């Protein structure tokens, strides 16, 4: 049971640490004729602000693409997506081909129906609007934080509940092993026994802050929180008492103490 819980928590951790490539790698893979992108949602610029998105209403998305290059760039589609813990929880692609002239700009306006977003995400999510070419490569993007007013029972909310259950089970198994003196004698192995519970605690904290609309799960926040919680849990396991000590004490209390019998000597007259 403990291995299953550890595997579930480890999958969530791998999604955080390995799921998303670095920003430099993403920008490096973009075509040479990349575009500058400015986006407004419901006529409000999304740069450096939190954008509320109500799935019950249609969203007006305005994109201004600027081409600083010397050759025109063809855009095939526009993508609106939201990511948390390196996992994409919603993505909407709109196919609307247009061309951005060299050293010029083009403005396009789209109306998006996000009705099913309520069942996909809720809370604060890092989001982006990308311009894609015919090969689905990113020509340019604008990033923001979306305040998705979705359902608590959305995919994102259920994912958080699942991580909470796994984390509670991980702590219970580790603490029960401690109470029953079944932890490994080696301190490092005892620390590793508590490590999945720490990872799970960090993931639950990140998701909870996002759903409660306090802090978005951006890499600069989620990675230190998860690794910090894991380090604390490992330290707790490392500092737990040696499991053989209580057993030895109990054995000493119940042992029979034999007093030495004085030796007898024979005297001859």
């Amino acid at each position: 049971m403990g291995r299953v819980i550890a595997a579930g928590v480890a999958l969530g951790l791998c999604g955080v640490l390995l799921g998303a490539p670095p920003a430099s790698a993403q920008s490096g893979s973009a075509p040479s004729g990349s575009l500058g992108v400015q986006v407004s949602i419901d006529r409000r610029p999304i740069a450096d602000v939190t954008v509320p998105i109500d799935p019950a209403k249609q969203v007006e998305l305005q994109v201004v693409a600027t081409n600083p290059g010397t050759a025109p760039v063809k855009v095939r589609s526009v993508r609106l997506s939201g990511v948390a813990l390196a996992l994409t929880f919603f993505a909407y692609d709109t196919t609307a081909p247009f061309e951005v002239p060299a050293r010029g700009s083009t403005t396009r306006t789209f109306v998006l129906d996000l009705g099913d977003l309520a069942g996909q995400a809720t809370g604060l999510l890092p989001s982006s609007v990308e311009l894609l070419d015919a090969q689905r490569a990113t020509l340019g993007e604008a990033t923001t934080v979306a305040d998705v007013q979705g359902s608590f029972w959305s995919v994102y909310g259920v994912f958080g509940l699942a991580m909470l259950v796994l984390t509670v089970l991980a702590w219970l198994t580790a603490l029960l092993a401690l109470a029953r003196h079944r932890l490994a004698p080696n301190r490092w192995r005892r620390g590793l026994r508590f490590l999945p519970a720490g990872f799970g605690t960090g993931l639950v904290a990140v998701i909870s802050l996002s759903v409660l609309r306090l802090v978005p799960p951006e890499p600069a926040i989620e990675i230190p929180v998860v690794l910090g919680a894991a380090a604390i849990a490992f330290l707790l396991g490392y500092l737990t008492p040696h499991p053989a000590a209580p057993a030895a004490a109990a054995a000493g209390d119940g042992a029979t103490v034999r007093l030495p019998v004085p030796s007898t000597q024979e005297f001859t007259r």
Side-chain angles (χ1 to χ4, degrees), residues 6-30:
V9 176
L11 287 176
L13 175 67
C14 290
V16 176
L17 299 180
L18 304 177
S24 59
Q26 291 179 346
S27 60
S29 63

Side-chain angles (χ1 to χ4, degrees), residues 76-97:
R76 184 179 185 274
S77 59
V78 178
R79 172 181 296 168
L80 171 64
S81 60
V83 178
L85 301 172
L87 301 174
T88 301
F89 283 92
F90 69 87
Y92 293 88
D93 286 15
T94 301
T95 301

Side-chain angles (χ1 to χ4, degrees), residues 54 96 100 113 138 143 150 220:
D54 186 356
V100 184
D113 184 3
T138 301
T143 59

Side-chain angles (χ1 to χ4, degrees), residues 65-205:
T66 304
N67 181 10
T70 57
V73 177
K74 294 183 178 180
V75 178
R76 184 179 185 274
S77 59
V78 178
R79 172 181 296 168
L80 171 64
S81 60
V83 178
L85 301 172
L87 301 174
T88 301
F89 283 92
F90 69 87
Y92 293 88
D93 286 15
T94 301
T95 301
F98 63 92
E99 182 176 296
V100 184
R103 303 189 185 280
S105 62
T106 301
T107 301
R108 289 290 184 271
T109 301
F110 311 92
V111 177
L112 305 180
D113 184 3
L114 307 179
D116 58 345
L117 180 58
Q120 299 180 19
T122 185
L124 301 179
L125 291 177
S127 304
S128 64
V129 176
E130 301 173 83
L131 302 182
L132 309 177
D133 62 10
Q135 287 72 39
R136 315 297 291 177
T138 301
L139 298 171
E141 68 174 338
T143 59
T144 187
V145 175
D147 181 4
V148 182
Q149 300 169 12
S151 170
F152 178 78
W153 298 106
S154 62
V155 175
Y156 186 54
V158 172
F159 175 75
L161 287 177
M163 292 306 305
L164 176 61
V165 171
L166 289 175
T167 301
V168 171
L169 292 177
W171 277 113
L172 286 178
T173 55
L175 294 176
L176 283 176
L178 174 63
R180 296 175 180 178
H181 312 297
R182 293 182 178 178
L183 293 176
N186 184 277
R187 286 187 178 273
W188 292 97
R189 292 184 61 186
R190 296 204 298 272
L192 292 176
R193 182 66 180 270
F194 280 74
L195 194 60
F199 280 130
T201 301
L203 292 173
V204 171

Side-chain angles (χ1 to χ4, degrees), residues 23-42:
S24 59
Q26 291 179 346
S27 60
S29 63
S32 57
S34 58
L35 303 174
V37 181
Q38 295 179 335
V39 177
S40 298
I41 293 181
D42 292 334

